[in-house]
Coordinates of all heavy atoms in Angstrom, one line a residue:
Chain A
N277 N 91.9 89.4 91.9 CA 92.5 90.2 93.0 C 93.1 91.5 92.5 O 93.8 92.2 93.2 CB 93.5 89.4 93.7 CG 93.8 89.9 95.1 OD1 92.9 90.6 95.7 ND2 94.9 89.6 95.6
N279 N 93.8 95.4 91.3 CA 93.3 96.7 91.8 C 92.3 97.2 90.8 O 92.3 96.8 89.7 CB 94.5 97.6 91.9 CG 94.2 98.8 92.7 OD1 93.4 98.8 93.6 ND2 94.8 99.9 92.4
K285 N 100.4 103.5 87.9 CA 100.9 103.1 86.5 C 100.8 104.4 85.6 O 101.5 104.5 84.6 CB 100.0 102.0 85.9 CG 100.2 100.7 86.6 CD 99.4 99.6 86.0 CE 99.6 98.3 86.6 NZ 98.8 97.2 86.1
D308 N 91.8 116.0 103.2 CA 92.4 115.8 104.5 C 93.9 115.5 104.5 O 94.6 115.5 105.5 CB 91.7 114.7 105.2 CG 90.4 115.1 105.8 OD1 90.2 116.3 105.8 OD2 89.7 114.3 106.3
K309 N 94.4 115.1 103.3 CA 95.8 114.6 103.3 C 96.7 115.6 102.5 O 96.2 116.4 101.7 CB 95.8 113.2 102.6 CG 95.1 112.1 103.3 CD 95.8 111.7 104.5 CE 95.4 110.3 104.9 NZ 94.0 110.0 105.0
E310 N 98.0 115.4 102.7 CA 99.0 116.1 101.9 C 99.1 115.4 100.6 O 98.9 114.2 100.5 CB 100.3 116.0 102.6 CG 100.5 117.0 103.7 CD 101.9 116.8 104.3 OE1 102.9 117.0 103.5 OE2 102.0 116.5 105.5
A311 N 99.4 116.2 99.5 CA 99.6 115.6 98.2 C 100.6 114.5 98.2 O 101.6 114.5 99.0 CB 100.0 116.7 97.2
W312 N 100.4 113.5 97.4 CA 101.3 112.3 97.3 C 102.2 112.6 96.1 O 102.0 112.1 95.0 CB 100.6 111.0 97.2 CG 101.4 109.8 97.4 CD1 102.5 109.4 96.7 CD2 101.2 108.7 98.3 NE1 103.0 108.2 97.2 CE2 102.2 107.8 98.2 CE3 100.2 108.5 99.3 CZ2 102.2 106.6 98.9 CZ3 100.2 107.3 100.0 CH2 101.3 106.4 99.8
I313 N 103.2 113.4 96.3 CA 104.1 113.8 95.2 C 105.2 112.8 95.0 O 105.9 112.5 96.0 CB 104.7 115.2 95.5 CG1 103.6 116.3 95.6 CG2 105.7 115.6 94.4 CD1 104.1 117.6 96.0
N324 N 110.5 104.7 95.2 CA 109.9 104.2 96.5 C 108.5 104.7 96.7 O 107.7 103.9 97.3 CB 110.8 104.7 97.7 CG 112.0 103.7 97.9 OD1 111.9 102.5 97.7 ND2 113.1 104.3 98.5
K325 N 108.2 105.9 96.3 CA 106.9 106.4 96.5 C 105.8 105.8 95.6 O 104.6 106.0 95.8 CB 106.9 108.0 96.3 CG 107.9 108.7 97.1 CD 107.5 108.8 98.6 CE 108.4 109.7 99.4 NZ 109.8 109.1 99.5
R327 N 105.9 102.4 95.1 CA 105.8 101.0 95.4 C 104.5 100.6 96.1 O 104.0 99.5 95.7 CB 107.0 100.6 96.4 CG 108.3 100.4 95.6 CD 109.5 100.4 96.6 NE 109.8 99.2 97.3 CZ 110.6 98.3 96.9 NH1 111.3 98.4 95.8 NH2 110.8 97.2 97.6
P328 N 103.9 101.4 96.9 CA 102.6 101.0 97.5 C 101.6 100.8 96.4 O 100.8 99.9 96.4 CB 102.2 102.1 98.4 CG 103.5 102.7 98.8 CD 104.4 102.6 97.6
F329 N 101.6 101.7 95.4 CA 100.6 101.7 94.3 C 100.8 100.4 93.4 O 99.8 99.8 93.0 CB 100.7 102.9 93.4 CG 100.3 104.2 94.2 CD1 101.3 104.9 94.8 CD2 99.0 104.6 94.2 CE1 101.0 106.0 95.5 CE2 98.7 105.7 94.9 CZ 99.6 106.5 95.6
L330 N 102.0 100.1 93.2 CA 102.3 99.0 92.2 C 102.2 97.6 92.9 O 102.4 96.6 92.2 CB 103.7 99.2 91.6 CG 103.7 100.5 90.7 CD1 105.1 100.7 90.1 CD2 102.6 100.6 89.7
T331 N 102.0 97.6 94.2 CA 101.8 96.3 94.9 C 100.4 96.2 95.4 O 100.0 95.3 96.1 CB 102.8 96.2 96.0 OG1 102.7 97.3 96.9 CG2 104.2 96.1 95.5
L332 N 99.5 97.2 95.1 CA 98.1 97.1 95.6 C 97.4 96.0 94.9 O 97.5 95.7 93.7 CB 97.4 98.4 95.2 CG 97.4 99.6 96.1 CD1 96.9 100.8 95.4 CD2 96.5 99.3 97.3
D333 N 96.6 95.3 95.7 CA 95.6 94.4 95.2 C 94.3 94.6 95.9 O 94.2 95.3 96.9 CB 96.1 92.9 95.3 CG 96.3 92.5 96.7 OD1 95.3 92.5 97.4 OD2 97.5 92.3 97.1
C335 N 92.2 92.5 97.7 CA 91.9 91.9 99.0 C 92.8 92.6 100.1 O 92.3 92.7 101.2 CB 92.1 90.4 99.0 SG 90.8 89.6 98.1
T336 N 94.0 92.9 99.8 CA 94.9 93.5 100.8 C 94.3 94.8 101.3 O 94.5 95.2 102.5 CB 96.3 93.7 100.3 OG1 96.8 92.5 99.8 CG2 97.2 94.2 101.4
Q337 N 93.7 95.6 100.5 CA 93.1 96.9 100.9 C 91.7 96.8 101.4 O 91.1 97.8 101.9 CB 93.3 97.9 99.8 CG 92.4 97.6 98.6 CD 92.7 98.5 97.4 OE1 92.6 99.7 97.5 NE2 93.2 98.0 96.3
S338 N 91.1 95.6 101.3 CA 89.6 95.5 101.6 C 89.4 95.1 103.0 O 90.2 94.4 103.6 CB 89.0 94.5 100.6 OG 89.1 95.0 99.3
A362 N 91.2 107.7 104.5 CA 91.8 106.6 105.3 C 92.1 107.2 106.7 O 92.4 108.4 106.8 CB 93.0 106.1 104.7
K363 N 92.1 106.4 107.7 CA 92.5 106.8 109.1 C 94.0 107.1 109.2 O 94.4 107.9 110.0 CB 92.1 105.7 110.1 CG 90.6 105.4 110.2 CD 90.3 104.4 111.3 CE 90.6 103.0 110.9 NZ 89.8 102.5 109.7
T364 N 94.8 106.5 108.4 CA 96.2 106.7 108.4 C 96.7 107.1 107.0 O 95.9 107.0 106.0 CB 97.0 105.5 108.9 OG1 96.7 104.4 108.0 CG2 96.6 105.2 110.3
H365 N 98.0 107.3 106.9 CA 98.5 107.7 105.6 C 98.8 106.4 104.8 O 99.9 105.9 104.8 CB 99.8 108.5 105.8 CG 100.3 109.1 104.6 ND1 101.0 108.5 103.5 CD2 100.3 110.4 104.2 CE1 101.3 109.3 102.6 NE2 100.9 110.5 103.0
T366 N 97.8 105.9 104.1 CA 97.9 104.7 103.4 C 97.0 104.7 102.2 O 95.9 105.3 102.1 CB 97.6 103.5 104.3 OG1 97.8 102.3 103.6 CG2 96.1 103.5 104.8
V367 N 97.4 103.9 101.2 CA 96.4 103.6 100.1 C 95.8 102.2 100.2 O 95.2 101.7 99.3 CB 97.1 103.7 98.7 CG1 97.4 105.2 98.4 CG2 98.4 102.9 98.6
F368 N 96.1 101.6 101.4 CA 95.6 100.2 101.6 C 94.4 100.1 102.5 O 94.2 99.2 103.2 CB 96.8 99.4 102.2 CG 97.8 99.0 101.2 CD1 98.9 99.8 100.9 CD2 97.7 97.7 100.6 CE1 99.9 99.4 100.0 CE2 98.7 97.4 99.6 CZ 99.8 98.2 99.4
E369 N 93.6 101.2 102.6 CA 92.4 101.2 103.4 C 91.2 101.6 102.5 O 91.1 102.8 102.1 CB 92.5 102.1 104.6 CG 91.3 102.1 105.5 CD 91.2 103.2 106.5 OE1 92.2 103.8 106.8 OE2 90.1 103.4 107.1
Chain C
N231 N 107.6 116.1 110.3 CA 106.3 116.1 109.6 C 105.6 114.7 109.7 O 106.2 113.7 109.5 CB 106.5 116.4 108.1 CG 105.2 116.5 107.4 OD1 104.2 116.9 108.0 ND2 105.2 116.1 106.1
N232 N 104.3 114.8 110.1 CA 103.6 113.6 110.4 C 102.8 113.1 109.2 O 101.8 113.7 108.8 CB 102.6 114.0 111.5 CG 101.8 112.8 111.9 OD1 101.9 111.8 111.4 ND2 100.9 113.1 112.9
R233 N 103.2 112.0 108.7 CA 102.4 111.4 107.6 C 101.6 110.2 108.1 O 100.9 109.6 107.3 CB 103.3 111.0 106.5 CG 103.6 112.2 105.6 CD 104.2 111.7 104.3 NE 104.3 112.9 103.4 CZ 103.4 113.2 102.5 NH1 102.4 112.5 102.3 NH2 103.7 114.2 101.7
L234 N 101.7 109.9 109.4 CA 100.9 108.7 109.8 C 99.6 109.0 110.4 O 98.6 108.5 110.0 CB 101.8 108.0 110.9 CG 101.2 106.6 111.3 CD1 101.3 105.6 110.2 CD2 101.9 106.1 112.6
H236 N 97.3 111.6 110.2 CA 97.1 112.9 109.4 C 96.0 113.8 110.1 O 95.9 114.9 109.8 CB 96.6 112.5 108.0 CG 95.3 111.9 108.0 ND1 95.1 110.6 108.3 CD2 94.1 112.4 107.7 CE1 93.8 110.3 108.2 NE2 93.2 111.4 107.9
H237 N 95.1 113.2 110.9 CA 94.0 114.0 111.4 C 94.5 115.0 112.4 O 93.9 115.9 112.8 CB 93.0 113.1 112.1 CG 92.2 112.4 111.0 ND1 91.5 113.1 110.0 CD2 91.9 111.1 110.8 CE1 90.9 112.2 109.3 NE2 91.1 111.0 109.7
P255 N 95.5 103.0 114.9 CA 94.7 103.1 113.7 C 95.2 102.1 112.7 O 96.4 101.9 112.5 CB 94.9 104.5 113.3 CG 96.2 104.9 113.8 CD 96.5 104.1 115.1
N256 N 94.3 101.5 112.0 CA 94.6 100.5 110.9 C 95.6 99.5 111.4 O 96.7 99.2 110.7 CB 95.2 101.2 109.7 CG 94.1 101.7 108.8 OD1 93.0 101.2 108.8 ND2 94.3 102.8 108.0
L259 N 97.3 96.8 109.1 CA 98.4 97.1 108.1 C 99.8 96.8 108.7 O 100.8 96.9 108.0 CB 98.3 98.5 107.6 CG 97.1 98.8 106.8 CD1 97.1 100.3 106.4 CD2 96.9 97.9 105.6
D263 N 100.4 89.6 106.6 CA 99.5 89.3 105.5 C 98.9 90.5 104.7 O 98.4 90.4 103.7 CB 98.3 88.3 105.9 CG 97.4 89.0 106.8 OD1 97.7 90.1 107.4 OD2 96.3 88.5 107.0
R264 N 99.1 91.7 105.3 CA 98.7 92.9 104.6 C 99.9 93.6 104.1 O 99.8 94.8 103.8 CB 98.0 93.8 105.6 CG 96.7 93.2 106.1 CD 95.6 93.3 105.1 NE 94.3 92.7 105.6 CZ 93.2 93.3 105.4 NH1 93.1 94.4 104.7 NH2 92.1 92.8 105.9
P266 N 102.1 93.2 100.9 CA 102.1 92.4 99.7 C 103.6 92.0 99.3 O 103.7 90.9 98.8 CB 101.6 93.4 98.6 CG 100.7 94.3 99.3 CD 101.3 94.5 100.7
L267 N 104.5 92.8 99.6 CA 105.9 92.4 99.2 C 106.5 91.5 100.2 O 107.1 90.5 99.9 CB 106.8 93.6 99.1 CG 106.6 94.5 97.8 CD1 107.5 95.7 97.8 CD2 106.9 93.6 96.5
R269 N 105.1 89.5 102.3 CA 104.5 88.1 102.5 C 104.9 87.1 101.4 O 104.7 86.0 101.6 CB 102.9 88.2 102.5 CG 102.3 88.6 101.2 CD 100.8 88.9 101.4 NE 100.2 89.2 100.1 CZ 99.2 90.1 99.9 NH1 98.7 90.7 101.0 NH2 98.8 90.4 98.7
K285 N 108.6 106.3 106.2 CA 109.5 107.4 105.8 C 109.9 107.4 104.3 O 109.9 108.5 103.7 CB 110.8 107.3 106.7 CG 111.7 108.5 106.6 CD 112.9 108.2 107.5 CE 114.0 109.3 107.4 NZ 115.1 109.0 108.2
L286 N 110.1 106.2 103.8 CA 110.6 106.2 102.4 C 109.5 105.9 101.4 O 109.6 106.3 100.2 CB 111.7 105.1 102.3 CG 112.9 105.4 103.2 CD1 114.0 104.2 103.0 CD2 113.6 106.7 102.8
T287 N 108.5 105.1 101.7 CA 107.5 104.8 100.7 C 106.2 105.4 101.0 O 105.2 105.4 100.2 CB 107.2 103.3 100.6 OG1 106.6 102.8 101.7 CG2 108.5 102.5 100.4
W288 N 106.1 106.0 102.2 CA 104.9 106.7 102.7 C 103.7 105.7 103.0 O 102.6 106.1 103.3 CB 104.4 107.8 101.7 CG 105.2 109.0 101.7 CD1 106.2 109.3 102.6 CD2 105.2 110.1 100.8 NE1 106.8 110.5 102.3 CE2 106.2 111.0 101.1 CE3 104.4 110.3 99.7 CZ2 106.4 112.2 100.4 CZ3 104.7 111.5 99.0 CH2 105.6 112.4 99.3
D289 N 104.0 104.4 102.9 CA 103.0 103.5 103.4 C 103.6 102.5 104.3 O 104.7 101.9 104.0 CB 102.3 102.8 102.2 CG 100.8 102.7 102.3 OD1 100.4 102.4 103.4 OD2 100.1 103.0 101.4
N291 N 103.1 99.6 105.3 CA 103.2 98.2 105.0 C 104.1 97.9 103.8 O 104.2 96.8 103.3 CB 101.8 97.5 104.8 CG 101.2 98.0 103.5 OD1 101.6 99.1 103.0 ND2 100.2 97.4 103.0
T292 N 104.8 98.9 103.3 CA 105.5 98.7 102.0 C 107.0 99.1 102.3 O 107.3 100.2 102.5 CB 105.0 99.6 100.9 OG1 103.5 99.4 100.8 CG2 105.6 99.3 99.6
P293 N 107.9 98.1 102.1 CA 109.3 98.4 102.3 C 109.9 99.1 101.1 O 109.4 99.0 100.0 CB 109.9 97.0 102.5 CG 109.0 96.1 101.7 CD 107.6 96.7 101.8
S294 N 111.0 99.8 101.4 CA 111.7 100.6 100.4 C 112.6 99.6 99.6 O 113.0 98.5 100.1 CB 112.5 101.7 101.0 OG 113.5 101.1 101.9
H295 N 113.1 100.1 98.5 CA 114.0 99.3 97.7 C 115.3 99.0 98.5 O 115.8 97.9 98.5 CB 114.4 100.1 96.4 CG 115.5 99.5 95.6 ND1 115.3 98.4 94.9 CD2 116.7 99.9 95.4 CE1 116.4 98.1 94.2 NE2 117.3 99.0 94.5
Q296 N 115.7 100.1 99.2 CA 117.0 99.9 100.0 C 116.9 98.8 101.1 O 117.8 98.0 101.2 CB 117.3 101.3 100.7 CG 117.7 102.4 99.8 CD 116.5 103.2 99.4 OE1 115.4 102.7 99.2 NE2 116.7 104.5 99.2
C298 N 114.9 96.3 101.1 CA 114.8 95.0 100.5 C 116.1 94.5 100.0 O 116.5 93.3 100.2 CB 113.8 95.0 99.3 SG 112.1 95.2 99.9
D333 N 115.4 92.4 95.1 CA 114.2 93.2 95.6 C 113.0 92.4 95.1 O 112.7 92.3 93.9 CB 114.3 94.6 94.9 CG 113.2 95.5 95.4 OD1 112.2 95.0 96.1 OD2 113.2 96.7 95.1
F335 N 110.1 93.3 94.8 CA 109.3 94.2 93.9 C 109.6 93.9 92.5 O 108.6 94.0 91.6 CB 109.7 95.7 94.2 CG 108.9 96.7 93.5 CD1 107.6 97.0 93.9 CD2 109.4 97.3 92.3 CE1 106.9 98.0 93.2 CE2 108.6 98.2 91.6 CZ 107.4 98.5 92.1
R338 N 107.4 90.7 91.6 CA 106.0 90.6 92.0 C 105.3 90.3 90.7 O 105.7 90.7 89.6 CB 105.5 91.9 92.5 CG 105.4 93.0 91.5 CD 105.3 94.4 92.1 NE 104.9 95.4 91.1 CZ 105.7 95.9 90.2 NH1 107.0 95.5 90.1 NH2 105.3 96.8 89.3
I341 N 100.0 91.0 90.7 CA 99.2 91.4 91.9 C 98.6 92.8 91.7 O 98.0 93.3 92.5 CB 100.1 91.4 93.2 CG1 101.4 92.2 92.9 CG2 100.4 90.0 93.6 CD1 102.3 92.3 94.2
N342 N 98.9 93.3 90.5 CA 98.2 94.6 90.2 C 97.8 94.6 88.8 O 98.7 94.5 87.9 CB 99.1 95.8 90.6 CG 98.5 97.1 90.5 OD1 97.3 97.2 90.3 ND2 99.2 98.1 90.7

Side-chain angles (χ1 to χ4, degrees):
Chain A
N277 200 23
N279 196 29
K285 290 181 175 175
D308 281 352
K309 296 286 202 312
E310 279 180 60
W312 195 303
I313 299 172
N324 272 334
K325 302 290 186 293
R327 286 164 77 97
F329 294 91
L330 299 179
T331 55
L332 267 170
D333 61 65
C335 288
T336 304
Q337 65 188 300
S338 297
K363 290 186 285 298
T364 58
H365 193 284
T366 183
V367 289
F368 284 87
E369 184 190 343
Chain C
N231 185 31
N232 177 1
R233 278 195 173 261
L234 188 69
H236 69 281
H237 286 304
N256 277 333
L259 296 181
D263 67 344
R264 296 286 182 134
L267 284 177
R269 70 187 179 215
K285 187 175 174 186
L286 297 181
T287 71
W288 288 348
D289 224 314
N291 68 344
T292 308
S294 62
H295 174 70
Q296 292 92 325
C298 288
D333 184 350
F335 183 81
R338 72 196 192 281
I341 52 178
N342 190 2

